Amino acid sequence: MFKEKLREKQQLVEKELHRILDIEEKPEIIYEAMRYSVFAGGKRLRPVLCLSSCELLGGDIKKALPVACAIELIHTYSLIHDDLPAMDNDDLRRGKPTNHKVYGEAIAILAGDGLLNLGYEVLVRHALEHPEDYERILKATNEIATASGCKGIIGGQVVDILSQNTELTHEELKFIHEHKTAALIEASVCAGAYIAGATEEDIHALREYARLIGFAFQIKDDILDVIGEEEKLGKKVGSDKEKGKFTFVNIFELEKSQEMVVELTQNAVKILDRFGEKALFLKELSNYLIERVN
Ligand code: GRG
């Protein structure tokens, strides 16, 4: 039942992303490069979180769909840029050659820029087409813009890059994870909630929930980089060590890191108790993330 509901939401997102990116304009190559990475097989976790928090608060998920897709476009831009030679210099992403390996560095940079801008275009268009929801969409956009900026993923990426080959404290590592990973996960949950007309108390609880699962998600990512299977992961295993990246597994070893993922998730799930039965899907999704293999 959970898997079916997950698939349903992923398919909604997939269909809408195809609609958004079905652009037959010149220069064709840029749209091709953008589609290449968006449809390379991502899990769509962030958009599913966005739809689910909207649903949790009794909102109409169709109204959250453009917002969910905008987040996935922005997330995909960050992956393309993260893989560039000037950043992580990766050859594989989502099980396929990275964007710059296929299209060259210049087009990959522009495809990332194109996706970032398209994300905001989708949000602004949604607000213009639905003036009755204008304020809700604006609040969601504010969440997404903040998380995508220097207070979020860019700030996390800067510290991550400057910290290569450096031993970090728990606090320093937490800063990177909270910004690089948890920020956009938090924005996904809060944006969906805003579309449903969340109260500030709802937002406070959901933000705390999302922060915890975002953090757990990154620790799990660190673990998978050590014990994951390359084929399932869709990227190289052991790349953190190779790049001199300090991770939670360095500080806490595997067993303790795994315990932390479980504990953070349990604490996150407890926060959802206040929403009663409606929170079942989000709770199951949170637990599913502990078991993920990619
Ligand atoms: C602003 C250039 C720039 C980068 C921002 C997001 C980011 C920093 C870099 C991406 C690389 C990375 C490992 C980020 C941590 C977050 C994370 C685990 C991303 C992968 O997310 P998944 O597993 O990927 O949801 P899919 O492919 O399923 O969407």
Side-chain angles (χ1 to χ4, degrees):
M1 197 63 175
F2 161 71
K3 288 260 174 83
E4 217 171 278
K5 284 188 181 161
L6 175 61
R7 212 169 312 120
E8 252 172 49
K9 290 193 171 67
Q10 285 167 328
Q11 279 168 358
L12 267 180
V13 171
E14 223 53 45
K15 205 168 152 204
E16 182 66 8
L17 283 172
H18 273 285
R19 208 186 58 77
I20 294 169
L21 280 158
D22 182 20
I23 304 170
E24 283 183 29
E25 278 172 39
K26 288 192 186 339
E28 286 99 345
I29 188 73
I30 193 67
Y31 298 111
E32 185 191 317
M34 286 155 70
R35 280 192 291 267
Y36 174 80
S37 288
V38 171
F39 300 114
K43 297 182 285 298
R44 315 302 192 205
L45 166 69
R46 293 156 191 80
V48 168
L49 281 169
C50 176
L51 298 182
S52 307
S53 65
C54 175
E55 192 174 53
L56 167 79
L57 298 178
D60 176 357
I61 64 170
K62 283 199 197 85
K63 292 191 171 181
L65 194 54
V67 179
C69 290
I71 295 169
E72 186 67 12
L73 298 175
I74 295 170
H75 165 62
T76 308
Y77 123 77
S78 81
L79 299 181
I80 296 176
H81 281 199
D82 183 65
D83 291 334
L84 288 167
M87 300 232 191
D88 268 9
N89 195 16
D90 276 310
D91 295 348
L92 265 188
R93 166 74 69 182
R94 293 176 163 175
K96 286 178 142 190
T98 44
N99 201 291
H100 66 272
K101 283 278 154 194
V102 180
Y103 295 97
E105 265 184 73
I107 295 296
I109 292 170
L110 293 166
D113 294 341
L115 287 170
L116 175 62
N117 280 283
L118 184 59
Y120 289 108
E121 259 179 72
V122 168
L123 288 165
V124 172
R125 218 180 296 144
H126 188 38
L128 290 172
E129 285 167 6
H130 296 277
E132 72 285 5
D133 292 324
Y134 178 76
E135 200 180 326
R136 292 179 181 193
I137 299 169
L138 204 59
K139 283 182 178 171
T141 304
N142 181 41
E143 280 291 323
I144 297 165
T146 307
S148 307
C150 297
K151 289 184 188 158
I153 62 174
I154 294 179
Q157 180 80 342
V158 169
V159 180
D160 187 39
I161 284 177
L162 296 179
S163 312
Q164 270 174 24
N165 300 310
T166 313
E167 198 165 307
L168 300 173
T169 63
H170 181 181
E171 278 311 305
E172 287 165 334
L173 197 53
K174 203 162 163 242
F175 178 95
I176 296 175
H177 286 2
E178 277 170 358
H179 290 75
K180 200 174 112 168
T181 310
L184 199 55
I185 289 181
E186 190 183 312
S188 306
V189 172
C190 292
Y194 275 127
I195 296 298
T199 62
E200 278 315 306
E201 288 94 70
D202 292 333
I203 291 290
H204 183 76
L206 287 170
R207 193 182 294 291
E208 194 51 33
Y209 154 78
R211 220 171 258 168
L212 292 171
I213 59 155
F215 198 30
F217 187 82
Q218 181 58 52
I219 300 178
K220 179 79 189 189
D221 210 64
D222 290 353
I223 294 170
L224 286 173
D225 190 71
V226 178
I227 59 165
E229 289 173 49
E230 220 150 275
E231 224 168 80
K232 290 185 181 149
L233 211 53
K235 59 181 183 181
K236 217 167 148 206
V237 171
S239 72
D240 287 338
K241 194 171 175 197
E242 202 176 281
K243 288 174 196 145
K245 287 208 178 179
F246 203 71
T247 73
F248 263 80
V249 182
N250 296 116
I251 303 185
F252 296 106
E253 305 288 337
L254 268 176
E255 203 181 332
K256 176 79 184 138
S257 301
Q258 262 151 345
E259 281 168 22
M260 285 171 80
V261 173
V262 174
E263 198 186 317
L264 286 163
T265 308
Q266 283 169 347
N267 291 339
V269 164
K270 258 187 233 140
I271 296 175
L272 296 179
D273 282 345
R274 73 198 296 272
F275 298 104
E277 275 178 17
K278 280 191 177 163
L280 183 64
F281 179 80
L282 260 187
K283 285 185 177 181
E284 286 177 326
L285 179 64
S286 316
N287 287 319
Y288 174 73
L289 293 176
I290 301 181
E291 307 299 332
R292 74 189 176 98
V293 291
N294 72 352

